[in-house]
């Protein structure tokens, strides 16, 4: 990856994490309606970031017209997969394809696919709400990470992707719990966010909160779903995606036959 796309993706990831973590440093007063106010601004900030990532990838040849077409196809497929599980018991099929596509097409493609998949599926399932921009950012970081995994092939690659799929499930759950915790847990319980309290104290409260409300249930179900889907479908899907990449001839230079001019 060249310097410009790497810089854009690094800044985008840091800003995305800041969107989730700012309550730990800004000390807002807990309010269940808080994110209904800041979510539109997060969404407006997310769109320019996606455009910058696409432009950076276009400038280096990482994404061309064929890759954009494939991005649309995979976004539609992911949007169609998501309602099949509907998140019941943590069963979500949207992430395993995101991990595999990010692995094949790279971090920039994976970053954009994470956001477009969640946005498209939200439109199909009437899931548009203040949580959507945060889901888009979390999914983008998962796709980005998949594209940065070390090289491996065969069974070693599947094992690596299974491990990352499990990590991604818990990572997504932790981020989304962090999004809601300061505003939903309240201050009257042992698990609630305490404005102005030392950071280690609030992090301890959050760790207990997310383990009890998300990690042991939804996130574990999502991790099992990712692992099973990658083991059963991963080799075949990787083969199809790599064949599509070869036939689309991503990064192939454009040339003209002078004799035909």
């Amino acid at each position: 990856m060249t310097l410009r796309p790497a810089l854009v993706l690094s800044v985008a990831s840091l800003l995305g994490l800041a969107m989730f973590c700012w309550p730990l440093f800004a000390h807002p007063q807990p309010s269940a309606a808080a994110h209904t106010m800041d979510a539109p601004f997060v969404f407006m900030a997310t769109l320019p970031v996606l455009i910058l990532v696409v432009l950076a990838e276009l400038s280096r040849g990482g994404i061309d017209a064929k890759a954009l077409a494939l991005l649309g196809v995979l976004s539609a497929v992911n949007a169609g997969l998501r309602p099949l599980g509907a998140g019941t018991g943590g069963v979500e099929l949207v992430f395993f394809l995101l991990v595999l596509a990010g692995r094949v097409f790279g971090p920039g493609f994976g970053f954009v696919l994470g956001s477009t998949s969640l946005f498209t599926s939200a439109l199909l399932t009437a899931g548009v709400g203040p949580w959507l921009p945060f889901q888009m950012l979390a999914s983008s970081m998962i796709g980005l990470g998949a594209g940065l995994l070390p090289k491996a092939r065969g069974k070693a690659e599947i094992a690596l992707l299974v491990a990352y799929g499990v990590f991604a499930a818990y990572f997504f759950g932790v981020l989304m719990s962090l999004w809601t915790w300061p505003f939903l847990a309240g201050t009257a319980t042992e698990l609630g966010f305490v404005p102005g309290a030392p950071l280690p104290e609030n992090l301890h409260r959050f760790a207990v909160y997310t383990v009890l409300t998300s990690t042991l249930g939804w996130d574990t179900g999502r991790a099992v779903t990712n692992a099973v889907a990658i083991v059963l479908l991963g080799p075949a899907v990787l083969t199809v995606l790599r064949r599509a990449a070869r036939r689309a001839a991503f990064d192939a230079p454009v040339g003209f036959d002078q004799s035909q001019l």
Side-chain angles (χ1 to χ4, degrees):
M1 179 182 295
T2 56
L3 179 60
R4 185 185 301 174
L7 180 61
V8 171
L9 289 172
S10 298
V11 172
S13 299
L14 290 175
L15 290 177
L17 288 174
M19 296 293 186
F20 290 96
C21 298
W22 70 267
L24 295 175
F25 305 97
H27 310 309
Q29 292 299 317
S31 170
H35 277 311
T36 61
M37 299 298 294
D38 60 28
F41 296 101
V42 175
F43 185 73
M44 287 188 292
T46 302
L47 292 181
V49 169
L50 292 177
I51 294 172
L52 285 175
V53 172
V54 172
L55 290 177
E57 290 291 302
L58 284 170
S59 67
R60 76 173 186 92
I63 292 181
D64 58 10
K66 298 173 183 176
L68 286 175
L70 186 57
L71 176 67
V73 171
L74 291 177
S75 298
V77 171
N78 246 351
L81 287 175
R82 195 177 186 196
L84 296 180
T88 304
V91 177
E92 287 217 61
L93 297 174
V94 66
F95 293 105
F96 97 94
L97 183 57
L98 173 61
V99 169
L100 298 179
R103 170 67 171 175
V104 172
F105 298 109
F109 188 97
F111 186 94
V112 178
L113 179 62
S115 282
T116 55
S117 294
L118 269 293
F119 181 74
T120 306
S121 67
L123 294 179
L124 290 178
T125 60
V128 177
W131 54 84
L132 178 57
F134 296 92
Q135 289 180 335
M136 291 168 62
L137 285 170
S139 298
S140 287
M141 285 185 273
I142 290 174
L144 169 65
L148 296 175
L149 293 175
K151 293 182 179 180
R153 283 301 177 98
K155 293 182 179 180
E157 181 179 37
I158 296 300
L160 176 66
L161 292 173
V162 167
Y164 182 76
V166 171
F167 165 79
Y170 289 111
F171 177 75
F172 183 84
V174 166
L175 287 185
M176 294 309 297
S177 292
L178 184 57
W179 171 72
T180 58
W181 168 66
F183 308 104
L184 296 185
T187 59
T189 69
E190 293 295 324
L191 306 182
F193 172 72
V194 180
L199 181 61
E201 178 183 338
N202 270 328
L203 287 178
H204 173 72
R205 289 170 173 266
F206 170 69
V208 177
Y209 170 84
T210 191
V211 167
L212 295 179
T213 62
S214 181
T215 303
L216 295 179
W218 298 93
D219 298 346
T220 298
R222 189 182 295 115
V224 172
T225 302
N226 287 348
V228 172
I230 291 173
V231 168
L232 296 180
L233 303 176
V237 174
L238 285 172
T239 299
V240 171
L241 292 178
R242 284 178 173 139
R243 184 177 299 168
R246 288 194 301 270
R247 294 197 173 187
F250 293 169
D251 299 332
V254 177
F256 298 93
D257 186 352
Q258 297 294 331
S259 64
Q260 300 298 321
L261 298 178

